[in-house]
Amino acid sequence: CQTNLRWNCDPDTANRICNYNRHYAEYGGYWERETTFLSEESASSGEITFYDSNTGKPLFFGPRDRSWDSFVKESRVHGWPSFRDSEVNWEHVRVLPNGECISADGTHLGHNLPDGSGNRYCINLVSVAGRPLN
C-alpha cells in the first residue's frame, strides 16, 4: 500500500485489509472514529474521488446522485463508507459472484450488500484512501 494515505488512515491496517485478504475488514466505524475523514470532508468538498490504496487509480466518486448528509447517514448506519451503483468507477472495480468487491488490480475493497434501495457497496476506507499517481 501507499504509505501516505489520505485521512490519516493507517498504512499497516490498509496493507492487512487490501492485500492477501478476501474476507476481513477494518472494524465497523473505523472510518468515522480512527480517521480524519469527517473532519477533512464535508458537503463543501463536493464530489470526492476515492483512490485505490495500492495503485492510486480512481475507484469511487461520492457522494453522487445524493447529498453529503445522505452519504454520511447511510455510511454511519452500516459502519463503512457505503456507495451506490452510480458512485462506482466500473473501469477499475469488480464485484465477484460471492459479493466481494475488488479493484481490477486485485485490491480487496469490501462487499456488495444489497438492500431495499439496490446495490450497496460497503467499502473499507483504508482500501480507498490512496493518492492519485501522476
Side-chain angles (χ1 to χ4, degrees):
C1 283
Q2 296 175 1
T3 56
N4 61 336
L5 297 173
R6 295 187 297 169
W7 308 303
N8 202 35
C9 286
D10 177 53
D12 291 333
T13 301
N15 194 46
R16 191 172 60 253
I17 299 303
C18 294
N19 301 308
Y20 312 106
N21 167 47
R22 290 290 178 234
H23 305 286
Y24 300 106
E26 66 197 19
Y27 69 82
Y30 173 90
W31 73 280
E32 188 175 6
R33 292 190 293 273
E34 298 294 328
T35 74
T36 58
F37 181 78
L38 289 175
S39 63
E40 289 186 44
E41 307 294 353
S42 66
S44 64
S45 301
E47 187 175 278
I48 301 162
T49 301
F50 296 82
Y51 298 93
D52 188 313
S53 293
N54 283 320
T55 68
K57 292 178 181 175
L59 301 178
F60 297 91
F61 310 101
R64 180 180 278 180
D65 300 327
R66 59 182 168 159
S67 69
W68 168 259
D69 289 339
S70 175
F71 170 77
V72 171
K73 180 180 178 183
E74 181 174 60
S75 298
R76 281 184 167 147
V77 165
H78 298 292
W80 288 267
S82 295
F83 299 92
R84 296 294 176 166
D85 284 330
S86 67
E87 298 171 315
V88 180
N89 182 353
W90 294 110
E91 180 181 350
H92 299 297
V93 174
R94 305 291 182 265
V95 180
L96 302 181
N98 67 356
E100 181 189 6
C101 297
I102 62 170
S103 74
D105 295 298
T107 303
H108 174 76
L109 305 174
H111 289 84
N112 178 23
L113 303 169
D115 62 14
S117 298
N119 289 318
R120 180 176 51 83
Y121 306 95
C122 250
I123 303 299
N124 297 291
L125 187 64
V126 295
S127 299
V128 295
R131 296 184 184 275
L133 299 181
N134 297 331

